[in-house]
Amino acid sequence: MPRKYRQVHRKMEETNDLIDDVTVVDVYDIASDIGKECEKIIDLYGADAVTSLMPKVISALELLENLAVNNERENSELLELKSKISQLENDKIEKAEYRQKFEKELEAIEEQWRAESKELLALVSRLQDENRKLAKVRGTSQVAERVSPTEIVNNSDMLQKLQLTLEKQRDEIRVKEKLLQEKCGDMEKVIRTLYPSIPI
């Protein structure tokens, strides 16, 4: 591209940037300045000097005002969308941190459950061994007096409660994962709307 065309193109880009920054208040200020200059011309050369020019100036100012109104609305919408994206990104980070924390807690619960289950199984095994030994020595009736079935039942109840707790924790994780996926989906939709050319 020749140098002079590059300069013209650069000036057009600068002009577009200025238009993007123009507000309705700026348009009113410009109209006021133009009005003052027209009054000076009228004082020097009479009203006929600006009669044919004023309709064009007014039309240009009205067009500029409409552009400024649209620009303010678009800027407001853009700021709102950026705010939503920022919030969604923060939510995504927060959900990821919560999920990581939740998974660690679940691992700790599972580890505790495995340890307690192992301990209970060992206890049941010892009770069974003791039961067999006592059965050989004293008979079945005497074994019932030494080894309480209630203790075995209580241990089984504890094991069942641990299993229920583990299932509850897993259900909560599934719910959190679903919410996290929905949040991520919402954020991707907003990003595609704002920046359709950016791959996600």
Side-chain angles (χ1 to χ4, degrees), residues 167-181:
E167 289 298 325
K168 182 179 179 181
Q169 295 287 345
R170 286 174 175 169
D171 291 339
E172 291 179 358
I173 285 180
R174 294 189 189 99
V175 173
K176 296 298 182 182
E177 287 179 345
K178 184 178 179 181
L179 292 175
L180 179 61
Q181 291 175 356

Side-chain angles (χ1 to χ4, degrees), residues 2 47 97 101 106 123 149 165 167 182 184-185 195:
E97 292 176 350
K101 178 181 177 182
L106 179 61
L123 175 60
T165 301
E167 289 298 325
E182 291 176 355
C184 292
Y195 310 104

Side-chain angles (χ1 to χ4, degrees), residues 84-131:
K84 289 182 179 179
I85 289 177
S86 178
Q87 182 63 41
L88 288 171
E89 289 176 346
N90 291 335
D91 289 345
K92 183 178 180 180
I93 294 173
E94 182 180 348
K95 294 296 182 183
E97 292 176 350
Y98 179 81
R99 180 178 179 180
Q100 185 178 9
K101 178 181 177 182
F102 204 81
E103 288 177 350
K104 289 182 179 179
E105 292 177 353
L106 179 61
E107 289 177 0
I109 292 173
E110 290 179 341
E111 185 65 27
Q112 181 181 0
W113 177 79
R114 283 192 292 267
E116 293 181 355
S117 297
K118 185 177 180 180
E119 183 179 349
L120 289 173
L121 290 174
L123 175 60
V124 171
S125 179
R126 288 197 302 271
L127 291 173
Q128 289 175 343
D129 291 340
E130 185 177 354
N131 187 29

Side-chain angles (χ1 to χ4, degrees), residues 30 34 36 38 40 66 75 97 100 111 134 145 181 199:
I30 293 171
I34 292 175
K36 293 177 182 178
C38 288
K40 293 179 182 179
N66 291 333
N75 286 339
E97 292 176 350
Q100 185 178 9
E111 185 65 27
L134 291 174
E145 295 177 359
Q181 291 175 356

